[in-house]
Amino acid sequence: MLLDDSIGFLISRTGRRVTQLLALHLASTGITTEQWSVLARLCEEDALSQKELASRVSKDQTNVTRILDQLERKGLIVRVVNPEDRRSHLPSVTAEGRAAYGEIAPLEENVISLVTEGLTPAQLSTLKELLNRIADAAGRHLNDNKPE
Amino acid sequence: MLLDDSIGFLISRTGRRVTQLLALHLASTGITTEQWSVLARLCEEDALSQKELASRVSKDQTNVTRILDQLERKGLIVRVVNPEDRRSHLPSVTAEGRAAYGEIAPLEENVISLVTEGLTPAQLSTLKELLNRIADAAGRHLNDNKPE
DNA sequence: TAAAATTAATTGCTATGACAACTACTTTGG
DNA sequence: CCAAAGTAGTTGTCATAGCAATTAATTTTA
């Protein structure tokens, strides 16, 4: 099978381009695309531990630690120690973080509309479902090799 | 729009998982997924300059330089100076590189079949087309901001 | 209850992505 | 023909992905 026909390659390539375009539109905010995904998730769903947060954004916990470092350095979140379990931290979005979220959300929506401009809502919905199925299958096979 | 509905997020997440699964299956070969994509492209299409190669794998030329460094260190490719233009190098796959390609290709095909196990050929083909449309749209908008 | 096993978070390390700056070579234009 | 502009590749830097190992705290177990 040629590279251009490999679904893995196509997903990666498309992801890189979309990310790059989003990065271009977010450049003025000083926030990276990955920082955005973490901030957005925290704004949508509060009181998550870092471990839970990592799972919710499908990132390695290690990477979440470092992305939170960046967001904390920028004053957009703070780490609060969980009183129930002092090992865990509950990242909390600051007022500045919420303001940034409000500013960035429409920028992201705009990029989404740019890259999906030729697609009907039905096609978009099909695409999302197919991607989710592949992500689920990959996740299952990843777990097959991990837990023991 | 919530993060889970953002097509950008879904593509990135799916890509990360597929890449991770592929990495797991390639671990024994000592080749990373990105090194694989470059090696595969070179095996499919020879006599490319690094710049052309970068374009063919949709990677930054900088990253291709470093991936070629790795492949060269492993003895899978060599850089040959282009006699027509001494600025450019023509990476060339060695016998070891071709052997690695032959070994890895079936591993990759297997991973692809694992992650697409629930999809019909028609669905897979739809998915590829939709991804290509998004990649094209993103590419167009990226170029809008570059050439001036 | 004290030691052992687990767990949450962090740090160290390597590879990659992306951008800026630099070097070496080529092409252009006067 | 030569200086200026352009081009291919490389290197430097920062952010991120992922793995291994470490630390601090909690739970389990003997």
Side-chain angles (χ1 to χ4, degrees):
Chain A
M1 163 167 350
L2 296 181
L3 201 61
D4 291 311
D5 278 324
S6 162
I7 188 66
F9 177 71
L10 294 181
I11 294 174
S12 296
R13 173 170 76 184
T14 308
R16 272 200 306 273
R17 291 216 189 139
V18 172
T19 297
Q20 206 177 343
L21 186 64
L22 181 58
L24 191 63
H25 285 252
L26 297 195
S28 62
T29 69
I31 301 271
T32 67
T33 59
E34 304 309 327
Q35 288 163 24
W36 160 247
S37 70
V38 170
L39 179 63
R41 178 57 82 190
L42 282 175
C43 285
E44 287 170 13
E45 207 171 347
D46 218 330
L48 292 171
S49 71
Q50 294 186 196
K51 179 191 168 81
E52 289 163 337
L53 174 59
S55 155
R56 303 290 289 121
V57 291
S58 297
K59 284 183 187 303
D60 189 288
Q61 205 175 319
T62 298
N63 301 325
V64 168
T65 290
R66 279 158 182 147
I67 293 173
L68 288 175
D69 288 346
Q70 304 285 341
L71 292 175
E72 195 163 35
R73 195 171 305 155
K74 290 169 184 170
L76 305 182
I77 65 115
V78 290
R79 280 170 163 106
V80 179
V81 172
N82 183 347
E84 321 255 297
D85 182 343
R86 301 187 39 221
R87 285 172 306 184
S88 87
H89 295 170
L90 305 177
S92 172
V93 182
T94 64
E96 289 85 354
R98 302 228 167 246
Y101 176 79
E103 180 194 351
I104 296 170
L107 298 179
E108 195 228 348
E109 303 239 2
N110 177 47
V111 169
I112 295 302
S113 69
L114 286 179
V115 300
T116 56
E117 60 196 354
L119 306 191
T120 66
Q123 285 175 321
L124 191 52
S125 150
T126 298
L127 176 58
K128 289 178 183 176
E129 196 212 319
L130 294 174
L131 285 173
N132 277 328
R133 284 220 244 160
I134 290 184
D136 287 348
R140 274 198 308 279
H141 289 291
L142 278 168
N143 284 331
D144 288 349
N145 302 56
K146 291 261 172 116
E148 79 290 336
Chain B
M1 156 155 8
L2 297 180
L3 200 60
D4 292 309
D5 279 324
S6 163
I7 188 67
F9 177 70
L10 294 183
I11 295 174
S12 296
R13 173 170 75 182
T14 307
R16 272 200 306 274
R17 290 212 190 144
V18 172
T19 298
Q20 206 177 343
L21 185 63
L22 181 59
L24 191 62
H25 285 251
L26 297 195
S28 62
T29 70
I31 302 272
T32 68
T33 60
E34 304 309 327
Q35 289 163 25
W36 160 248
S37 70
V38 169
L39 178 63
R41 178 58 81 192
L42 282 176
C43 284
E44 288 170 12
E45 207 169 348
D46 218 332
L48 293 171
S49 72
Q50 297 187 195
K51 179 190 168 84
E52 289 163 336
L53 174 59
S55 157
R56 304 289 287 121
V57 291
S58 296
K59 287 184 186 301
D60 190 287
Q61 204 175 323
T62 298
N63 301 325
V64 168
T65 290
R66 280 159 181 147
I67 292 172
L68 289 175
D69 288 345
Q70 303 286 339
L71 292 175
E72 194 162 36
R73 195 169 307 156
K74 291 170 183 169
L76 306 181
I77 67 116
V78 291
R79 282 170 163 105
V80 180
V81 172
N82 184 345
E84 320 257 296
D85 182 343
R86 301 189 39 224
R87 286 171 304 182
S88 88
H89 296 169
L90 306 177
S92 171
V93 181
T94 63
E96 289 85 353
R98 302 232 168 242
Y101 176 78
E103 181 194 350
I104 296 171
L107 298 179
E108 196 228 347
E109 301 238 2
N110 177 48
V111 170
I112 296 303
S113 68
L114 285 179
V115 300
T116 56
E117 59 195 354
L119 306 190
T120 66
Q123 286 176 320
L124 192 52
S125 150
T126 298
L127 176 57
K128 289 178 184 177
E129 196 212 317
L130 293 174
L131 285 173
N132 277 328
R133 284 222 243 156
I134 290 186
D136 287 350
R140 275 198 308 278
H141 288 291
L142 277 168
N143 284 331
D144 288 349
N145 302 56
K146 292 257 170 120
E148 78 296 327

